[in-house]
Amino acid sequence: MTDNVNQSKSDADPAEWMPSLSSVYCRYITEWTAVKTRWGLSVDTAEKSSLASYAAACTNSTVTVEVVLGSGSTATATTTATATATATATATSGGSCTGTNGTDVTIPDAGSAVTSSITISGCAHTAASSTSTIYVYVVHPFRGDVSVWLYAPDGTYYILKSASSSDSTANVNTTYTADLSSETSNGAWKLSVKDAYSGDTGYLNTWTLTV
């Protein structure tokens, strides 16, 4: 890790920062979970959601750590820490019903919508679930500016989040549930994100679709 990258990370957790190389995501969250377990550290809601989302695209990784309690004393036994929610949506046919796109996409200020795609292939069930989930993480200082739509392979769209001038909280870090049972699971799905108001800008960090 270079000094500049280390400084950009600072004290941010996985809900706020991830390595630029998506190929190391699984190793990163496994080591993060091991450190949390070793030192008995707490996990906030946003951090837990991000860890679960990233872990969904990983195979199970098991590490053994010596637990050091928060008081500083050392536990006499060891424990096995497994990254949470790993590969929970793997289809029985060997394909996957879950996909993640972690490539950053800049959202222009009060500009056109930008899109990010995930292709689902080999999913065992033909129709998507009535309780499909879409995890979305958008970095933006004023999330009320942001609207989020999901496009199915046939072009049908689902509004996950509308823009709202009264919502001044930062970032979109949410798992949405949608009834996609009328859609085919396999195919190219698109997330569309638009900044509706001028003054602030941000970017789509990552999203995960489970059909």
Side-chain angles (χ1 to χ4, degrees), residues 107-195:
I107 306 168
D109 187 24
S112 301
V114 295
T115 60
S116 176
S117 298
I118 288 175
T119 298
I120 301 293
S121 62
C123 183
H125 47 267
T126 302
S129 171
S130 60
T131 55
S132 297
T133 59
I134 310 96
Y135 168 73
V136 179
Y137 182 38
V138 174
V139 178
H140 197 289
F142 199 96
R143 72 182 182 201
D145 287 8
V146 177
S147 63
V148 183
W149 294 23
L150 176 71
Y151 283 82
D154 67 356
T156 303
Y157 64 86
Y158 298 81
I159 301 174
L160 305 181
K161 178 188 179 301
S162 300
S164 171
S165 59
S166 62
D167 185 358
S168 60
T169 307
N171 302 335
V172 177
N173 189 6
T174 306
T175 298
Y176 301 96
T177 300
D179 182 357
L180 304 180
S181 57
S182 63
E183 308 294 341
T184 301
S185 298
N186 296 305
W189 296 76
K190 290 194 303 183
L191 193 75
S192 174
V193 184
K194 180 178 173 62
D195 185 330

Side-chain angles (χ1 to χ4, degrees), residues 15 21 26 35 62 93 112 177:
L21 295 176
C26 293
V35 171
T62 302
S93 66
S112 301
T177 300

